[in-house]
Amino acid sequence: MPMLDLHRLRLLRELKHRGTLAAVAEALSYSPSSISQQLSVLEKEAGVALLEPVGRRVRLTAQAEILVAHTEAVLERLERAEADLAASLRGITGVLRVAAFQTAALALVPDALGALRDAHPRLRVEVTQREPESAIPALLARDFDVVITEEYPGDPSPRPAGVEYAELGEDEITLALPEPAPPGAGLRDLAETPWVMEPEGTASRRWATRLCRAAGFEPDVRFESTDLLLHLRLAERGHAAALLPGLVWSGGPPAIPVVRLPEDDRIRRLFTATRRGGGSHPAVRAFRDALADAFAHRG
């Protein structure tokens, strides 16, 4: 039996994570026909069918899933090998690709970058603003090396087997009252008030909707955006109530009236995520340390 080719196995793995041949081709700068040809060769090497048609798309067979699982294990060992190799060198160099959601990108990343620039001037850090819902799959697809992610109260996020997490800290969420707000107003008093929330399907939206329902009402969501600075501006101008995390204020005092939420519903937890085996890479450790320091001294 011929030995399976790791490059082709990686293409099969990419197909699992990206979903379509076109997406794999775009990510790797190949043509879809070239990807298809390579996977056909892999089928011959494996001696089993790896893909089956589903409408106009294809999906992995059970045998392909077995191969992908073993490929993940091989790639984890390679991640560890790269980390060990980098640790054996003097100084931290290379490129580190980071994905961060908006408030972390605004409140934490700039200070972390400053510390890294001073301590490791030969390390190039590339940062993309990306919500965790899409950033974690992109991490698994090797588009990023580190993802800053979050978890809302009562809404634990799925944790793929190929990802390892390190807790960064806790961030309190407060209820921002639209001005002018009634004196002493709280969550239950805002049943008739317009709201701004993140889009359907996001962890923030699920948590916020559950919170309002627990208070006895369905929120009147008139504004949707992933931009929390827009949430803040709408609350400041009296157009909507908003639920804003502490990082929005960058550690300073809120500029508008806010109300603390119930103890069990006011803390989101922040994490950094890497591919399994990649967390020990010196560049990743340096970034995590710089980010933790920025978080500890925010504001």
Side-chain angles (χ1 to χ4, degrees):
M1 178 179 176
M3 182 175 291
L4 298 174
D5 181 85
L6 182 57
H7 170 68
R8 297 188 186 103
L9 287 169
R10 277 181 158 175
L11 294 181
L12 186 65
R13 175 190 178 277
E14 290 286 334
L15 180 58
K16 175 179 174 63
H17 288 297
R18 298 187 188 274
T20 67
L21 292 171
V24 175
E26 181 179 1
L28 302 181
S29 299
Y30 290 122
S31 68
S33 61
S34 175
I35 300 293
S36 182
Q37 290 169 7
Q38 291 293 311
L39 292 177
S40 295
V41 173
L42 182 60
E43 283 189 323
K44 293 178 182 178
E45 291 176 346
V48 294
L50 299 176
L51 304 177
E52 55 188 11
V54 180
R56 296 184 178 181
R57 303 177 65 174
V58 294
R59 69 182 175 195
L60 275 62
T61 64
Q63 291 71 36
E65 295 284 359
I66 292 172
L67 284 181
V68 168
H70 283 285
T71 302
E72 298 282 12
V74 171
L75 293 178
E76 180 183 337
R77 288 302 300 267
L78 290 176
E79 291 269 4
R80 295 187 189 280
E82 290 176 2
D84 290 346
L85 184 62
S88 72
L89 303 174
R90 288 188 176 182
I92 299 176
T93 63
V95 178
L96 185 72
R97 300 162 302 166
V98 176
F101 57 88
Q102 185 192 34
T103 49
L106 285 170
L108 303 178
V109 169
D111 286 345
L113 291 176
L116 288 171
R117 179 183 58 203
D118 294 339
H120 309 291
R122 295 167 60 199
L123 175 64
R124 174 186 174 96
V125 183
E126 298 176 352
V127 180
T128 300
Q129 184 180 318
R130 184 77 67 87
E131 294 303 309
E133 286 83 3
S134 62
I136 293 297
L139 173 72
L140 286 168
R142 304 181 70 85
D143 292 340
F144 301 111
D145 303 306
V146 181
V147 169
I148 305 175
T149 185
E150 61 188 347
E151 190 171 275
Y152 280 81
D155 189 53
S157 303
R159 294 196 171 186
V163 178
E164 55 189 22
Y165 294 79
E167 186 159 0
L168 177 60
E170 296 181 343
D171 189 30
E172 181 173 349
I173 307 167
T174 53
L175 170 62
L177 302 174
E179 295 189 297
L187 187 62
R188 294 181 183 275
D189 302 305
L190 301 178
E192 305 300 323
T193 301
W195 284 80
V196 55
M197 291 185 181
E198 294 195 41
E200 292 280 1
T202 60
S204 170
R205 179 64 172 269
R206 288 193 301 271
W207 165 78
T209 301
R210 179 183 61 79
L211 193 68
C212 292
R213 288 173 179 171
F217 66 94
E218 190 71 19
D220 176 13
V221 182
R222 298 191 193 179
F223 313 100
E224 285 189 346
S225 176
T226 59
D227 185 347
L228 293 189
L229 295 182
L230 175 59
H231 292 212
L232 174 59
R233 181 57 58 87
L234 289 170
E236 287 176 336
R237 298 296 176 86
H239 296 299
L243 293 159
L244 296 175
L247 289 185
V248 165
W249 320 108
S250 296
I256 57 176
V258 296
V259 174
R260 298 191 82 185
L261 298 171
E263 185 174 354
D264 292 339
D265 282 311
R266 63 178 178 230
I267 301 296
R268 69 169 177 172
R269 299 166 67 204
L270 308 183
F271 302 86
T272 53
T274 62
R275 287 182 299 279
R276 191 168 298 280
S280 60
H281 194 287
V284 172
R285 291 204 311 265
F287 178 76
R288 278 177 160 165
D289 289 346
L291 194 68
D293 188 65
F295 185 81
H297 297 94
R298 62 194 185 280

